[in-house]
Amino acid sequence: MRVLVVEDEPMLADAIAEWLREDSHAVDIAHDGGTALDRIAVHGYDVVVLDRDLPVVHGDEVCRRVVASGAATRVLMLTAAVEITDRVDGLSLGADDYLTKPFAFPELAARIQSLGRRCRPAAPPVLRRSGVTLDPARHEVFRDGRYLPLSKKEFAVLTELLLADGATVSAEHLLEKAWDEHADPFTGAVRLTILKLRRKLGDPPLVETVTGVGYRLR
C-alpha cells in the first residue's frame, strides 16, 4: 500500500516509516499539516497516519479536507491525549481509526493493514492465480509449491498484479503503490523489478508486457 506518515517528531516519523517499509509498504513522510496536504493532493494514498497536533495546519483540518475530498484514503489519527472526549472528537471529524501514544508498532501496522483493506475491493486473505500463491500475512510466495524468495519491491509488484486478476496494470500504478515519492519515474525501476520477478517466477513465463499499457499475469 501507499502510506503517508504525518508526524512532527522526526525520530518517531522515521521509526514508523521504517517499520511499515519492512511490511513492503511504500511510505512518505510529512512533518506538518501543510506539507501533508500538498502530498495528498499529488499521490493516491491508501492510508494516512495523521498526528493530531501538527504545525502549520492542524491535524483536525487535514482530516476534514481528506474526508471532504471524497477520496478512498483512510485516516488513522495519532494523539498523546488519552481522554475519551479527544478520541470521540477525532472520530467525529471522519477519521477511520484512532490510536493514542505511546503505541506498539505491531498494533499500528495491523490497524493500517485493516484500513488498507477497506479502500480496495475485498480480496481473499491468500491471492492465487496461474499456480502462484501469495500470502500477505506470512509474506510468502509459492509457484506450484516452490517457495520464491522475493524482495520487498518484487513482493509488492506481484501483489498488485495478482489483485488485478488478469487485468493490465500500468507502470505508473505500480510505481505509485510500491515506491515512495523519492522514486524517479525515469529510472526504469519498475521494468527492472518486473525483469527480476520474471526470473524468479520461472517457466513458463507468467508476467506479460502489454506494449504501451503495462503488465499483466497470464
Side-chain angles (χ1 to χ4, degrees), residues 82 157 216:
V82 296
V157 167
R216 67 185 175 204

Side-chain angles (χ1 to χ4, degrees), residues 122-146:
V126 176
L127 301 173
R128 294 184 174 88
R129 183 178 177 84
S130 302
V132 175
T133 301
L134 183 148
D135 187 334
R138 295 178 180 273
H139 205 85
E140 293 180 340
V141 178
F142 295 85
R143 181 177 184 184
D144 298 327
R146 175 174 60 92

Side-chain angles (χ1 to χ4, degrees), residues 45-149:
Y45 292 105
D46 297 296
V47 179
V48 174
V49 180
L50 180 65
D51 183 37
R52 194 171 181 190
D53 190 15
L54 291 172
V56 184
V57 178
H58 195 273
D60 288 0
E61 180 59 23
V62 174
C63 183
R64 286 192 191 96
R65 296 193 195 181
V66 171
V67 173
S69 72
T73 304
R74 302 297 177 175
V75 178
L76 190 160
M77 294 194 81
L78 301 177
T79 183
V82 296
E83 297 295 329
I84 293 178
T85 53
D86 291 301
R87 280 177 281 176
V88 170
D89 289 345
L91 293 172
S92 68
L93 293 168
D96 299 279
D97 202 354
Y98 208 92
L99 193 59
T100 56
K101 301 176 183 178
F103 51 81
F105 284 121
E107 180 183 5
L108 174 64
R111 289 182 181 229
I112 290 172
Q113 196 70 41
S114 177
L115 289 176
R117 286 194 293 267
R118 296 188 205 172
C119 66
R120 297 184 178 209
V126 176
L127 301 173
R128 294 184 174 88
R129 183 178 177 84
S130 302
V132 175
T133 301
L134 183 148
D135 187 334
R138 295 178 180 273
H139 205 85
E140 293 180 340
V141 178
F142 295 85
R143 181 177 184 184
D144 298 327
R146 175 174 60 92
Y147 174 71
L148 304 179

Side-chain angles (χ1 to χ4, degrees), residues 5-16 29-32 51 53-55 80 101:
V5 175
V6 192
E7 168 60 58
D8 64 342
E9 297 180 28
M11 291 184 65
L12 178 56
D14 289 342
I16 293 172
I29 296 174
H31 296 304
D32 64 76
D51 183 37
D53 190 15
L54 291 172
K101 301 176 183 178

